[in-house]
Amino acid sequence: MTVELTKILTNYAVFAVIWYVLQTFGYFRLLRKTPANKVLAFIPVVRELVMFKLVWKSKFAGIIWFVCAIGGLALFLVSASTGLQIVGWLGIVMMIASIVIHIKRSRKQSKAFNLSGGITTLLIFVNPIGNIVIGMGQAEYKGAK
């Protein structure tokens, strides 16, 4: 491995750890206001599925989001290694669908805590900070709307 690649990977690892800590702290503060178990804030995929369950009326929205995100990434990687373009395009469509579902979840999360579009924007672009703001603010959990 080259020195440049080592620096890039080290920077990425440091950023990923900081992002994980902020996400965990934000979700922990947020889950304190809900009936969900607070320990789930430490498990990344589970906390996302719990949030989908808390803010979305559909029981399967979180699973659909997860399948689109992971399936899309897997199809895109398979396409890169095999050269099948149609599989790659299907993967991209699935990843875009997962992003759209996550944006809708951010809107529903704001509504579940009776907050406005500013928090939705914060949740879309800087999710950990949005969760910390909701968790440490005066907002109360009202349930899925």
Side-chain angles (χ1 to χ4, degrees):
M1 213 173 351
T2 65
V3 174
E4 293 85 17
L5 184 59
T6 304
K7 288 180 182 177
I8 291 170
L9 291 176
T10 303
N11 288 338
Y12 179 76
V14 168
F15 177 77
V17 169
I18 292 170
W19 189 265
Y20 171 77
V21 169
L22 286 174
Q23 279 281 58
T24 301
F25 179 72
Y27 275 113
F28 185 78
R29 297 294 297 192
L30 188 78
L31 289 176
R32 289 180 62 205
K33 295 183 174 193
T34 66
N37 188 352
K38 287 73 177 156
V39 175
L40 298 176
F42 296 97
I43 309 167
V45 173
V46 175
R47 69 180 170 215
E48 291 295 330
L49 295 175
V50 166
M51 282 307 298
F52 270 102
K53 185 178 175 185
L54 288 171
V55 302
W56 208 302
K57 287 184 180 179
S58 171
K59 295 179 180 180
F60 300 108
I63 295 170
I64 293 170
W65 165 79
F66 184 73
V67 167
C68 284
I70 299 301
L73 182 62
L75 288 175
F76 187 74
L77 292 175
V78 164
S79 167
S81 65
T82 62
L84 296 172
Q85 286 187 351
I86 190 73
V87 175
W89 284 108
L90 182 61
I92 289 173
V93 167
M94 287 179 72
M95 286 188 284
I96 290 171
S98 75
I99 292 169
V100 169
I101 292 169
H102 202 275
I103 289 171
K104 288 183 79 173
R105 195 215 72 188
S106 296
R107 192 181 104 250
K108 289 179 178 286
Q109 183 176 341
S110 294
K111 287 184 177 183
F113 285 92
N114 211 16
L115 296 169
S116 65
I119 293 293
T120 302
T121 305
L122 197 59
L123 287 169
I124 291 169
F125 292 110
V126 195
N127 193 278
I129 305 300
N131 288 329
I132 291 170
V133 168
I134 294 171
M136 297 184 78
Q138 298 296 323
E140 293 183 21
Y141 177 68
K142 305 292 183 188
K145 293 182 180 186

